[in-house]
Amino acid sequence: MAFTTLAHHIDVCWLHEAYRRTRKDGATGVDGQTSDEYAEHLEDNLRSLLDRAKSGTYQAPPVRRVHIPKGDGSSTRPIGIPTFEDKVLQRAVAMVLEAVYEEDFHDFSYGFRPRRSAHQALAALQDGLMRMGGDWVLEVDIRKFFDTLDHGRLLEILRRRVRDGVLLRLIGKWLNAGVLEDPVLSYPEAGTPQGGVISPLLANVYLHEVLDEWFVKEVQPRLQGRALIIRYADDFVLVFERERDARRVFAVLPRRFSKYGLMLHPEKTRLLSFRHPTRAARDRGAPPPSTFDFLGLTHYWGLSLKGRWYVKRKTAKDRFSRALRRVRVWCRAHMHDPIRKQWQALRGKLSGHYAYYGVTSNYDALRRFLWEVRRIWWKWLSRRSNKAERAWAGLVRLTERFPLPSPRIRPPAVT
């Protein structure tokens, strides 16, 4: 069923809630307006925003594009930064669409959804691999998904559930608002800015049609064995019980995505054997189980303390290196700050790292990360002046006076 009237839900109270949910410490957009400046006349600003959005006179400003390093640092990822007012309006529209599409989205979709997290996706994947014995894993990477998302296809998919003219007009304006990359203003014909408030929801709607519905309604009924899919935004993996099923899907998947203007990365998309080691050992000549990465963690088979095989996870090499590189850059830039201030900042960085990567079986990687952070910290402290202490014993005294938090494993996520 398509909803023809939804915009009436957006009123001043709705915009107040959207404002409350909007991040206040983010970077500013092309107008340079901060959240504090917007809040000085909040009531007037929200009423003006509501009138312009409902009357159709709202003009979506271009997004400011910045580039951040990705992976090993050899390339960058473009991030779009809307203005603060645009973020508030995008949040308000996303809240309406979210109520509609949460009824449609499948349980195996975890990215950017209420009360769902990456840890739940990882837990569901680990549980599925254990139940199926691993077997065959299809690791998929969509090349430049947010940059190649087809505007026409997206609006066509949206109209199947949402036919409210106000909302569709606003989404169309955001898709065609343009990108300002100093000093050039361009108008891409495809894509949605990665970093926009509404972009994750639009990505979920698009992939729900391209992948999720297709897999459930057309692929699974034709399979001979069991299959599992776990998706977090544009990152997903497929697990198959039988090799023949896996190879058939692997062959047809690129054609399915090309139909919607998307391409799979030829080097990062691969089919691998992830069979239970005991079963793999029975087949003579069968290769040992491979490993694969998903959501920053490397998945592999390992032995428990009781001598049983189970799927373990550890920090992926590229994520480990990237996290250390950020610590190194920060320590170099703040090497002359007071030691107590540096200590407090590093405590926060370590706690954040443990909060995400602190999963069962990853304790050794967390401990090595702590050791590397201590070493990097001491390295740059010892360069503060020619008289600074460089002996290793100084690091021991430093960490005794300013102890950094020890690694900790977070409780298992509830799927």
Side-chain angles (χ1 to χ4, degrees):
M1 184 182 71
F3 290 86
T4 56
T5 57
L6 287 169
H8 64 278
H9 291 288
I10 302 178
D11 54 17
V12 174
C13 292
W14 192 278
L15 288 179
H16 270 287
E17 177 62 18
Y19 169 81
R20 187 188 68 83
R21 297 188 188 185
T22 302
R23 181 179 172 182
K24 308 300 188 299
D25 58 349
T28 58
V30 294
D31 62 353
Q33 187 180 46
T34 65
S35 60
D36 292 336
E37 293 171 346
Y38 193 82
E40 290 178 1
H41 305 283
L42 181 60
E43 193 69 26
D44 292 339
N45 287 335
L46 293 182
R47 290 189 178 278
S48 172
L49 177 61
L50 179 64
D51 292 340
R52 284 177 284 138
K54 293 289 184 72
S55 65
T57 59
Y58 180 79
Q59 297 296 323
V63 297
R64 183 169 65 88
R65 175 174 285 175
V66 297
H67 293 266
I68 62 173
K70 63 180 293 188
D72 57 1
S74 60
S75 59
T76 59
R77 174 184 286 110
I79 299 295
I81 305 175
T83 63
F84 183 78
E85 183 176 66
D86 211 31
K87 293 178 184 178
V88 173
L89 186 55
Q90 287 190 29
R91 176 64 64 192
V93 174
M95 287 161 54
V96 176
L97 296 180
E98 192 176 82
V100 174
Y101 282 100
E102 277 300 309
E103 300 298 319
D104 298 346
F105 290 155
H106 294 282
D107 288 340
F108 53 75
S109 171
Y110 289 88
F112 304 105
R113 294 181 57 190
R115 297 174 296 280
R116 285 175 171 257
S117 67
H119 287 104
Q120 291 177 324
L122 290 165
L125 176 60
Q126 184 185 41
D127 181 65
L129 288 168
M130 291 293 295
R131 284 188 287 104
M132 295 175 59
D135 294 312
W136 296 87
V137 173
L138 181 54
E139 186 181 9
V140 184
D141 183 88
I142 306 175
R143 173 179 282 179
K144 297 181 179 180
F145 170 73
F146 284 92
D147 296 333
T148 57
L149 191 148
D150 187 282
H151 292 174
R153 288 277 191 178
L154 173 59
L155 291 173
E156 178 186 336
I157 293 171
L158 284 169
R159 289 190 186 99
R160 296 175 187 173
R161 292 287 275 142
V162 178
R163 294 178 186 169
D164 186 291
V166 173
L167 300 189
L168 291 176
R169 184 170 57 243
L170 286 172
I171 293 173
K173 289 181 177 181
W174 287 321
L175 292 175
N176 298 290
V179 175
L180 179 64
E181 194 167 1
D182 290 335
V184 180
L185 176 62
S186 60
Y187 295 90
E189 296 181 359
T192 178
Q194 191 170 358
V197 174
I198 202 169
S199 295
L201 177 59
L202 296 180
N204 271 336
V205 171
Y206 201 75
L207 287 175
H208 172 75
E209 174 68 24
V210 176
L211 177 66
D212 301 355
E213 287 283 275
W214 172 73
F215 185 81
V216 170
K217 295 180 179 179
E218 298 186 33
V219 174
Q220 278 190 319
R222 292 176 170 85
L223 300 179
Q224 297 178 347
R226 292 177 297 172
L228 168 73
I229 179 174
I230 299 294
R231 182 173 69 82
Y232 190 91
D234 61 325
D235 294 326
F236 66 95
V237 293
L238 299 133
V239 183
F240 299 91
E241 184 179 24
R242 300 194 178 186
E243 181 181 2
R244 184 172 181 270
D245 290 338
R247 295 198 179 279
R248 288 172 60 197
V249 175
F250 188 28
V252 75
L253 200 61
R255 295 197 297 270
R256 173 66 181 181
F257 275 77
S258 64
K259 179 181 177 182
Y260 289 85
L262 302 175
M263 289 183 60
L264 302 184
H265 199 294
E267 298 176 358
K268 298 181 180 180
T269 300
R270 58 184 185 134
L271 178 64
L272 54 96
S273 172
F274 197 74
R275 304 178 66 190
H276 192 286
T278 303
R279 296 216 312 265
R282 296 195 194 108
D283 297 337
R284 295 181 180 179
S290 302
T291 65
F292 69 94
D293 294 345
F294 183 62
L295 297 182
L297 292 168
T298 299
H299 296 69
Y300 65 100
W301 285 101
L303 289 172
S304 67
L305 295 177
K306 296 181 179 180
R308 298 175 181 174
W309 289 104
Y310 77 103
V311 177
K312 292 187 174 183
R313 299 165 296 177
K314 62 182 179 181
T315 309
K317 290 183 179 180
D318 61 334
R319 297 297 184 93
F320 190 91
S321 301
R322 183 170 65 183
L324 283 182
R325 184 167 56 252
R326 289 176 175 172
V327 172
R328 191 178 298 111
V329 170
W330 188 91
C331 287
R332 181 178 181 179
H334 297 267
M335 60 185 291
H336 293 292
D337 288 359
I339 293 181
R340 179 170 293 277
K341 184 178 179 181
Q342 294 185 31
W343 171 63
Q344 292 172 344
L346 290 174
R347 282 174 57 89
K349 294 179 184 296
L350 282 168
S351 297
H353 187 86
Y354 299 158
Y356 185 83
Y357 294 102
V359 297
T360 306
S361 74
N362 197 34
Y363 187 83
D364 289 343
L366 298 182
R367 188 171 56 182
R368 186 161 66 92
F369 185 79
L370 172 62
W371 187 89
E372 291 287 353
V373 169
R374 286 173 175 166
R375 184 184 63 81
I376 293 169
W377 188 25
W378 178 246
K379 170 187 174 181
W380 289 106
L381 283 179
S382 65
R383 296 186 179 186
R384 283 156 67 109
S385 70
N386 293 330
K387 298 180 181 180
E389 183 178 4
R390 288 178 170 81
W392 191 256
L395 173 60
V396 177
R397 291 194 295 271
L398 174 69
T399 52
E400 287 178 352
R401 183 178 179 185
F402 297 100
L404 294 175
S406 299
R408 61 177 183 271
I409 302 300
R410 56 177 292 128
V414 178
T415 59

